[in-house]
Amino acid sequence: MDLFSPVTLGDLELANRVAMAPLTRMRSGSSGVPGDLVVEHYAQRASIGLIVTEGTYPVHESQAFVGQPGIVTDEQVAGWRRVADAVHARGGRIVMQVMHGGRVTHPDVNGGRRVVAPSAIAIQGEGHTEKGKQAYPVPHALTTDEVRDVVRAFARAAERAREAGLDGVEIHGANGYLLHEFLSPASNVRDDVYGGSPENRARLVVEVVTAVAEAIGAGRVGLRISPEHDIQDALETDRDDVLATYGALLDQLRPLGLAYLSVLHREPAGDLVQELRRRFGGHLMANSGFGSVTTREEALALIEAAHADVVAVGRAAIANPDLVERWAGEHPENEIRSHLFYASGAEGYTDYPVLRAG
């Protein structure tokens, strides 16, 4: 396999095996509607094989960041339709990452609404709100019926993403947000059907992914996980439990025929990720770059050694709208301006230069 060769993931036909990882950028204002700046940002990166959007909230209480986009209102759907149309006009493919923030939010972020989680355990630390940094509150532990409402919310969000013209969705089951909170024994101490055993902790993710696949077709659905990432207090420190939990999850998802599984892990070629890939039985999108920048050499090696089918790239995709052209031609990359990742304007967002033709 070659990084720059086409690949088909379910119903998604990609021009190359580079994906733009989902990247929190917080440029959608208080309304959560993607505007001109967001349209331009994604359109600039259309030559990347698959764009995975930033995490997008399926219900208002699940908003985790100030300036995060949603897929709840008609105005948000219309904004995303402009994004999808712009990417498609340049020949690109784009899927929406649907993300429920769970306990990683605050009433001053989600419009004064409640904060929810599998269990009433707060994250240690502070989050950024409209009123500055504030301690994370103790969340409301979702009832069994409310958990099922979450399943319906994800399915509805996926339908609205397709209504907006996106090619599919990626379910965010990683990085300490709601679905990951159910998977982790540190954040999930429930004693009902959604807690306790590895199979029970995996149940919500199975139900969400299954419902979304039924809503829009499994070939347009990906799932992102981050086992052992240990971020935002969703700790997973027992390798045996990790294997039992994610194995139970993927054994149940395997028959669906999803488009891909995206795994964020520091060792994508290691035993854990490759075992999970085998249990999944489908296409693997590897993402190692949370702690370090993913390089061209690493991406090439992962594909050439068949350790992954696609490589998700974050910071290099931010800094290089024409990343695939640069990597294919072995051109220098732009300097990454990380201090502007979470700013609010065009600087560090749409102003990175592209290669000059000729």
Side-chain angles (χ1 to χ4, degrees), residues 14 36 102 131 137-138 179 205 221 235 243 248 292 317 336 344 349:
L14 315 186
D36 292 347
K131 299 176 182 176
V138 176
L179 299 188
V205 185
V221 179
L235 305 179
L243 270 171
S292 59
I336 298 169
S344 58
Y349 189 62

Side-chain angles (χ1 to χ4, degrees), residues 240-254:
D240 290 341
D241 184 80
V242 169
L243 270 171
T245 304
Y246 287 90
L249 169 64
L250 297 174
D251 287 348
Q252 293 176 82
L253 296 183
R254 181 178 185 131

Side-chain angles (χ1 to χ4, degrees), residues 189-258:
V189 296
R190 301 172 71 95
D191 58 7
D192 65 354
V193 297
Y194 293 102
S197 68
E199 292 78 13
N200 280 358
R201 282 184 275 116
R203 188 183 306 275
L204 175 59
V205 185
V206 172
E207 291 181 353
V208 165
V209 175
T210 301
V212 170
E214 290 173 351
I216 67 169
R220 296 187 180 278
V221 179
L223 170 66
R224 183 171 175 85
I225 58 174
S226 60
E228 299 182 331
H229 193 33
D230 294 342
I231 190 172
Q232 298 184 141
D233 291 1
L235 305 179
E236 295 165 326
T237 56
D238 181 335
R239 173 61 70 90
D240 290 341
D241 184 80
V242 169
L243 270 171
T245 304
Y246 287 90
L249 169 64
L250 297 174
D251 287 348
Q252 293 176 82
L253 296 183
R254 181 178 185 131
L256 294 180
L258 299 177

Side-chain angles (χ1 to χ4, degrees), residues 26-59:
M26 306 190 301
R27 258 68 169 198
S28 292
S30 59
S31 67
V33 176
D36 292 347
L37 203 60
V38 178
V39 172
E40 182 181 0
H41 171 74
Y42 285 116
Q44 286 176 342
R45 289 154 179 80
S47 60
I48 293 174
L50 180 66
I51 293 172
V52 183
T53 74
E54 61 210 278
T56 303
Y57 57 84
V59 290

